[in-house]
Amino acid sequence: MFKKQKYSLQDLFDQDADIVKQALQELSNAVHSHCMDDRVSLAKYSEETIALEKRQDRLTEEIIARMFGKETMVFSRPDRIFIIKELDKIVDLAEFAVRKLLLYRPEPNAAINLLLEEMSTIIKNIGISVEKMIHEVFLDFDTAKKSTVQITDLRREVRRLEWNALEKIFSSNLPAIEFRYYETIIMQISRVADKAEEFADSIYEFICKYAL
C-alpha cells in the first residue's frame, strides 16, 4: 500500500515559487535596512534570505524525486526540471546580494540610497509576479502571459534605476572602497531582476510551445 503524499506536485511548485517571493521580499528588506544604516535588521533579513535558499535546496530535491513518479502535469519532465532550476537561480542571486551587502559599512549616502530603495521595492514586486506566474502557468496560459509581461516591465524599471545609480556613483567623489561597494551592490541587485526576466521569457516560450 502506497502512502498518500501530503502535498501534490503542483503544491510543491507553488511552495517553490513562494520561496522566491519571500527571498526577494527579504532582499528588499535587507536593502532598506542598509539604507537606514540599521545593521541589526540588515543581518536579520540577510540570515532569513540565506535560510530560504537552504530551504529551497531541500524542496528542489523533493520535487525532482517526486517528478519521476506517476503524477502528471502539463509540462514535460525536462521542462519542469528547467523551471525549478531557474527558480533556484533567482534565490541564489538574492543570497549573493545580501551577502555582499554585509561585506562593508559605507558612509550613508542619501542620493545613492534613494535609488537603492526604489530598486528594492521593484525587486519585491518582481518576487510577487514570479510567484503569481508560476501558479498561473499550470492553470491558465493567458493569465500567465500577462505576468511574464509584468516581470519584463519591472525589469525595465530596474534597468533605468541601475543606470541612474551607476551615473550617480561615477559622478560622486567617493572613496575607492565605497565606489566599488556601491557598484557591486547595484549590479548584484540588477542580476536578480535580469534572471527573473530571462525566466519569464522562457515561461512565455513554454506557453507558446504547449498551446499549439
Side-chain angles (χ1 to χ4, degrees):
M1 189 106 178
F2 289 106
K3 182 180 178 181
K4 182 176 175 59
Q5 300 285 357
K6 183 178 179 181
Y7 297 108
S8 69
L9 195 51
Q10 174 69 62
D11 292 334
L12 297 181
F13 272 88
D14 287 342
Q15 289 177 29
D16 202 354
D18 186 62
I19 288 175
V20 174
K21 180 177 73 173
Q22 292 180 57
L24 269 57
Q25 171 73 71
E26 299 303 342
L27 170 57
S28 177
N29 291 339
V31 173
H32 175 72
S33 298
H34 157 79
C35 294
M36 296 296 101
D37 200 27
D38 182 350
R39 303 300 290 186
V40 173
S41 294
L42 172 57
K44 171 180 176 289
Y45 293 127
S46 297
E47 288 169 6
E48 289 172 358
T49 307
I50 293 166
L52 284 165
E53 191 276 332
K54 292 178 181 176
R55 179 180 155 201
Q56 187 186 48
D57 283 347
R58 304 290 78 76
L59 181 60
T60 295
E61 293 167 1
E62 182 178 357
I63 293 173
I64 290 175
R66 287 276 296 277
M67 215 176 283
F68 293 94
K70 294 183 178 180
E71 293 176 83
T72 60
M73 299 183 80
V74 64
F75 298 118
S76 67
R77 285 193 182 102
D79 287 343
R80 281 179 263 165
I81 290 173
F82 174 84
I83 289 171
I84 60 170
K85 292 293 186 182
E86 291 302 295
L87 290 170
D88 183 70
K89 289 175 185 177
I90 295 171
V91 177
D92 282 349
L93 288 170
E95 181 201 2
F96 294 159
V98 296
R99 287 188 183 277
K100 288 181 178 180
L101 274 169
L102 293 168
L103 288 175
Y104 180 68
R105 185 175 188 172
E107 287 295 322
N109 186 302
I112 296 172
N113 285 344
L114 180 62
L115 292 165
L116 285 174
E117 286 268 28
E118 290 186 63
M119 291 177 75
S120 74
T121 298
I122 298 172
I123 287 295
K124 177 180 68 176
N125 291 334
I126 286 174
I128 293 169
S129 293
V130 169
E131 189 271 341
K132 186 168 174 282
M133 176 182 70
I134 292 303
H135 179 71
E136 292 166 348
V137 79
F138 291 104
L139 303 173
D140 183 349
F141 282 172
D142 288 338
T143 307
K145 273 186 181 180
K146 295 176 183 176
S147 291
T148 67
V149 173
Q150 287 174 353
I151 293 167
T152 298
D153 290 343
L154 289 168
R155 171 61 187 102
R156 190 174 294 112
E157 278 301 297
V158 171
R159 185 177 294 119
R160 179 183 65 81
L161 292 166
E162 175 188 8
W163 286 114
N164 288 345
L166 288 172
E167 286 175 3
K168 181 64 66 177
I169 66 169
F170 272 91
S171 63
S172 301
N173 188 26
L174 296 174
I177 190 171
E178 291 188 12
F179 176 94
R180 180 58 180 151
Y181 175 81
Y182 280 120
E183 181 187 35
T184 299
I185 297 307
I186 291 162
M187 295 181 74
Q188 188 64 51
I189 293 171
S190 293
R191 286 184 67 197
V192 177
D194 285 342
K195 177 51 65 179
E197 183 189 32
E198 289 172 14
F199 181 44
D201 288 344
S202 296
I203 292 297
Y204 187 88
E205 290 170 9
F206 283 174
I207 290 170
C208 294
K209 171 183 172 182
Y210 285 92
L212 293 176

